[in-house]
Amino acid sequence: MRAWILLALLYVLAVVLALITNPQFGPDSRIYLAWTYWYLGHPQAEAAQLSYNYLWNNGGLTDCWSCWPDDYQQKFFTGQYAAVVGPRVLLPFLSAPFVALMGPMGMLVVPIVGYAIAVIATVMLASRLWGQRWALLSGAVLLLPVYVSRWSVVAHTEGPAFALLAVPLLLLPLARRTTRKHLVWYVVLVAVGMLNRQFAIALPAAVGSAWLLVAIRDRAFRNVWLPFAFWGNLVGFGILIAQMVITPIIFGGDELSLTAQFNALAQQYFQTEGLAAIPAVTWNIITSDLLRVRYDLGLMALLVMLTVAVIWRFRSELSAMAVGAFVTVSAINVIEFWPASFRYHAPIVPLLVLATVALLNDLWGPIRARPSRSTEAVPRAPANRLRATAVRAAIAASTAKAARTWKPTVRGLRWVGALPLHAWLTISVLVVVTFAELQDRTWHYGPTSIYSLAWAYRVLGYSPAGASMKTYDDLHMMPFFDNGCGGPCWEYGNTWIYQHSTSADPNVVYPVLSAPFVALFGYSGLLVVPVVALLVATVLITIFARRRWGAAAATLTAVMFLLTDRIAVAGLAGTADMLAIALSIGCLFTLPIDGPRNRRALATFGLLITLALASRSTSIALVGAVGMAWLCACWTARTPLNRWLPYAATAVTSLVGVVALGQIMPMADARYLGRAREVISEGTGGVFGSIADRIHEATQVDGTYIAADALLCAVLLITVFAAPLRAIRDPLAALAFGGGLVSALLGLLVGVPSGARQFSVVYPLFLLASIGVLVPLTGRLRPRMPDPPAEPGDRPFPALPALEQPAADVVPEPVPAALVAAESESTAADDGRVSRNRPGPGRAVAARGT
């Protein structure tokens, strides 16, 4: 139940973020809305006019210069316009009652409900295949990519298409025995999907790919996939051909020919046509879509992991289905000619998610399989019904079936340090993906880079005038300054940079560390420290999570840290943000989270927090975090003299020292409160009016910026709900609670919207607090392994001792794969090898009475 509640919250979050960051109507929506009004009984001209009255100035259609031709009242129901909606009767038909009740906004109901159904179906299938923990992961991976969830609240056919791809997957022979009833319902859903959008043919094509794989792999033309592949493709392609033939007859015109349209557009833009134009059109679509999709790190990571899953799990039906669906949609996209920002591929993402999670289950599941031998062909006992005796017997039989099992070794090339090799490979790949995606879409230098670079030159021995001129020469042509910060960022005089009082940063540590690299690489050397800090921070947070929760949770923590777009972007910016984040993670190793620490840890903490405070003013949130941990410890221990008191005192002392330094040393501009005094004087409503104005401004600016990062918002959501409730019993939650409060207060007092920068220093605390919530939840979702009932005539077998959980700092021995051996059918086949006086791999066997 808690897992469903969490998924429900993530779903609501995904829908809300999509509403905030994207328009709800697009160019095609005007035609769907007009046809919906026509279905409601309005004449065609009136229906088109009603659509125009509502959408003519909608934000989603502002760039559509051809949306409203002079004769749109007639064209919406004839020719090319009719070709878009004529065969797609499902969305207008289902939306008609909601439009009648709610107006045009009723067009959003069916897409939102369809997306919810798709999430539920994906979770149910993942639960059947691998258990509840992997079902929760599948739902989260489906909900977090913003370029997928955005189509759930657009008045297009993508929302229903999500459901009409995911629900039929439940009827396929994936870890289940199918009957004629499953086949009939599958064919019905394929037919309904074809009435929603022509891209629905991807599902029959995917099933056909699974049948072809099994036919080649098992040398079995007549396999369990054949009926689904044959009848699904027969009905799907039959409806598609009928639509292509009937639609021109009803709505008229040779202009409905996709081939003619493709050739005309290819000739216009690439001076070629036919087959010769396909490479150029395909490359244009790939490059154009990548330029947009790269703004979604979660989706990019999913596509990279999917590629690995498809190659490594080449024997898997899920991999074949993912490839078949992706290739089919891509081919139709090429015929359509225009790039679509992943819009056409979005409905098949549930299948891509399942293929990816299948690989993760092979590597991290309770019973692991060699990915290159994975298959979903044979119905098997679901993960939540595995028996403890089967697992123990599989371990005992691993040597007998060494050729068909996979057991990563603790010592050797397959295990590096505290994590298995594939975990480090995953983290390394995501580091490369993060750098590759961020390097061309972010400003690497901003206003604070001016002060850091100028002081780096001062550290290298330049005079104030020389450093100012050098900084100007290096940065004044950068995109940020050239487009929007020409005047405010560059003032007159040679010493203004060193006397500037609004930078709000101490600016001591970062320029000093960057100076040697600036001397070697010029102004580009300003990026070396942030990049190294990102790598260090990733390793540190991974090791910290590994010590507390194990290798799987550590890998998840590192993945979430790297894929949090608004935080990772600091790793490629000329600011001290990532340096402060790395220092804050380092502080965690010295805090008395699990018990008292020695004086060396306290001294190290004092050094690290001082460096953090001397790097970024927002590091004051770390002081608040430690203070809250001390307060919670006071409540628990019923005394202020607890193990957190020395750390709270050290943090406050460091803060006072750095602030005092900032009053006498311009380089350490430690005016942490910035515009705080203006709260009293500005605004028409006094102090409360001024605070309300700042909250409104922060909501408008910061809220919109943060809403584009669904993973960041999910972590914030979990932290907001969980940290206050768990603060008393969980020091990590107390740290996150205190850090969040001080960050919010500091942002309010400073009064300058700064996106995620205002709490980036304590974001690792938020992330670890969220992981602390998820780990116990996944523990509750662990497959239950009850002993099976004894067969008639069998004596009860003595209960085996429970498997002990490994300590947090001990690398556990992974369980080898023996998934097939866990089946009772495999047990029957092994009767000649398994003694009747010991438990076999499929059931508990007792000595039979004579």
Side-chain angles (χ1 to χ4, degrees), residues 8 86 140 155 227 284 289 302 320 422 539 543 593-594 597 614 633 656 681 713 727 758 766 807 814 818 830 839:
N284 178 61
D289 282 0
L302 173 62
H422 56 264
V539 173
I543 294 175
I593 296 176
D594 299 314
R597 304 297 299 271
V656 172
S681 58
C713 293
Q758 61 185 349
F766 299 164
D830 279 345

Side-chain angles (χ1 to χ4, degrees), residues 367-380:
I367 294 184
R368 301 176 186 177
R370 185 188 293 272
S372 59
R373 301 190 180 192
S374 294
T375 174
E376 292 83 26
V378 181
R380 59 193 180 189

Side-chain angles (χ1 to χ4, degrees), residues 495-772:
T495 60
W496 70 270
I497 292 179
Y498 313 103
Q499 299 172 353
H500 202 49
S501 61
T502 61
S503 65
D505 270 333
N507 281 332
V508 176
V509 178
Y510 177 51
V512 172
L513 294 179
S514 299
F517 303 105
V518 171
L520 290 174
F521 307 112
Y523 67 90
S524 299
L526 205 62
L527 302 179
V528 174
V529 171
V531 170
V532 174
L534 175 60
L535 299 177
V536 172
T538 303
V539 173
L540 288 179
I541 200 170
T542 303
I543 294 175
F544 183 84
R546 168 63 185 87
R547 291 182 178 180
R548 293 188 65 82
W549 301 299
T555 307
L556 177 63
T557 304
V559 169
M560 293 178 67
F561 179 73
L562 289 169
L563 296 184
T564 307
D565 183 279
R566 298 314 193 200
I567 302 299
V569 72
L572 285 175
T575 66
D577 293 76
M578 188 53 66
L579 174 61
I581 291 173
L583 291 170
S584 70
I585 298 174
C587 290
L588 293 173
F589 289 86
T590 65
L591 293 174
I593 296 176
D594 299 314
R597 304 297 299 271
N598 54 31
R599 294 182 179 179
R600 179 180 300 178
L602 178 60
T604 305
F605 168 76
L607 174 62
L608 292 176
I609 197 170
T610 301
L611 293 175
L613 289 168
S615 301
R616 283 284 282 124
S617 62
T618 53
S619 298
I620 191 176
L622 292 174
V623 181
V626 176
M628 180 61 68
W630 171 70
L631 289 176
C632 293
C634 291
W635 177 271
T636 303
R638 298 296 189 271
T639 175
L641 303 177
N642 53 68
R643 65 178 187 268
W644 285 92
L645 179 60
Y647 290 84
T650 301
V652 172
T653 301
S654 298
L655 175 62
V656 172
V658 173
V659 171
L661 179 65
Q663 310 311 310
I664 59 175
M665 184 178 179
M667 185 178 181
D669 181 18
R671 294 172 173 82
Y672 285 97
L673 300 184
R675 296 165 54 198
R677 66 182 63 183
E678 298 176 10
V679 173
I680 302 175
S681 58
E682 71 177 13
T684 58
V687 175
F688 293 103
S690 178
I691 293 175
D693 291 341
R694 291 192 174 189
I695 292 176
H696 176 73
E697 182 182 7
T699 302
Q700 293 293 319
V701 179
D702 292 344
T704 304
Y705 177 80
I706 295 173
D709 189 345
L711 180 56
L712 173 61
C713 293
V715 171
L716 294 178
L717 178 67
I718 296 175
T719 303
V720 167
F721 280 98
L725 298 177
R726 297 167 54 91
I728 297 298
R729 63 179 184 275
D730 184 4
L732 275 178
L735 291 169
F737 185 34
L741 285 179
V742 175
S743 295
L745 179 61
L746 184 64
L748 180 64
L749 291 177
V750 172
V752 179
S754 57
R757 292 191 69 197
Q758 61 185 349
F759 56 80
S760 61
V761 175
V762 291
Y763 176 74
L765 302 180
F766 299 164
L767 178 58
L768 291 170
S770 300
I771 297 295

Side-chain angles (χ1 to χ4, degrees), residues 128 170-178 182 376 378-380:
R128 181 207 300 172
L170 294 170
L171 304 170
L172 296 174
L174 293 169
R176 74 175 304 164
R177 301 185 188 279
T178 56
H182 296 103
E376 292 83 26
V378 181
R380 59 193 180 189

Side-chain angles (χ1 to χ4, degrees), residues 99-307:
V99 172
L101 292 173
M102 306 166 55
M105 290 299 293
M107 293 292 296
L108 303 180
V109 175
V110 174
I112 292 176
V113 173
Y115 188 50
I117 294 174
V119 174
I120 294 172
T122 303
V123 171
M124 291 176 62
L125 181 55
S127 179
R128 181 207 300 172
L129 289 169
W130 311 297
Q132 294 177 338
R133 284 189 286 184
W134 298 102
L136 176 62
L137 178 63
S138 301
V141 173
L142 179 58
L143 286 168
L144 291 179
V146 294
Y147 266 77
V148 176
S149 61
R150 64 179 295 183
W151 300 112
S152 65
V153 291
V154 177
H156 287 173
T157 56
E158 278 75 17
F162 277 113
L164 291 170
L165 178 128
V167 173
L169 297 179
L170 294 170
L171 304 170
L172 296 174
L174 293 169
R176 74 175 304 164
R177 301 185 188 279
T178 56
T179 63
R180 184 174 300 177
K181 179 177 66 175
H182 296 103
L183 175 61
V184 171
W185 278 111
Y186 168 77
V187 173
V188 169
L189 291 176
V190 168
V192 174
M194 294 303 300
L195 297 178
N196 179 62
R197 60 183 291 124
Q198 288 76 20
F199 280 81
I201 198 64
L203 176 61
V207 175
S209 300
W211 164 78
L212 181 61
L213 170 74
V214 176
I216 296 175
R217 183 193 66 197
D218 299 342
R219 297 178 179 84
F221 179 86
R222 299 175 62 88
N223 55 65
V224 293
W225 291 89
L226 178 59
F228 294 89
F230 177 79
W231 290 107
N233 281 278
L234 179 65
V235 172
F237 280 97
I239 294 177
L240 181 61
I241 294 172
Q243 290 172 337
M244 295 174 63
V245 173
I246 296 175
T247 300
I249 296 175
I250 297 177
F251 303 108
D254 296 335
E255 57 184 350
L256 296 178
S257 173
L258 293 178
T259 303
Q261 174 182 290
F262 175 85
N263 288 331
L265 292 172
Q267 184 65 39
Q268 177 182 352
Y269 288 95
F270 300 106
Q271 292 75 50
T272 184
E273 60 182 36
L275 295 178
I278 291 179
V281 174
T282 303
W283 181 248
N284 178 61
I285 291 174
I286 292 174
T287 54
S288 299
D289 282 0
L290 281 178
L291 288 176
R292 294 170 173 83
V293 173
R294 65 178 182 170
Y295 287 91
D296 189 347
L297 281 178
L299 180 57
M300 289 300 301
L302 173 62
L303 295 178
V304 171
M305 293 301 297
L306 172 68
T307 304

Side-chain angles (χ1 to χ4, degrees), residues 37-60:
Y37 278 124
W38 184 38
Y39 289 167
L40 288 172
H42 295 273
Q44 291 183 353
E46 181 182 344
Q49 187 62 41
L50 289 172
S51 177
Y52 173 83
N53 294 341
Y54 186 77
L55 295 176
W56 71 272
N57 64 343
N58 187 274

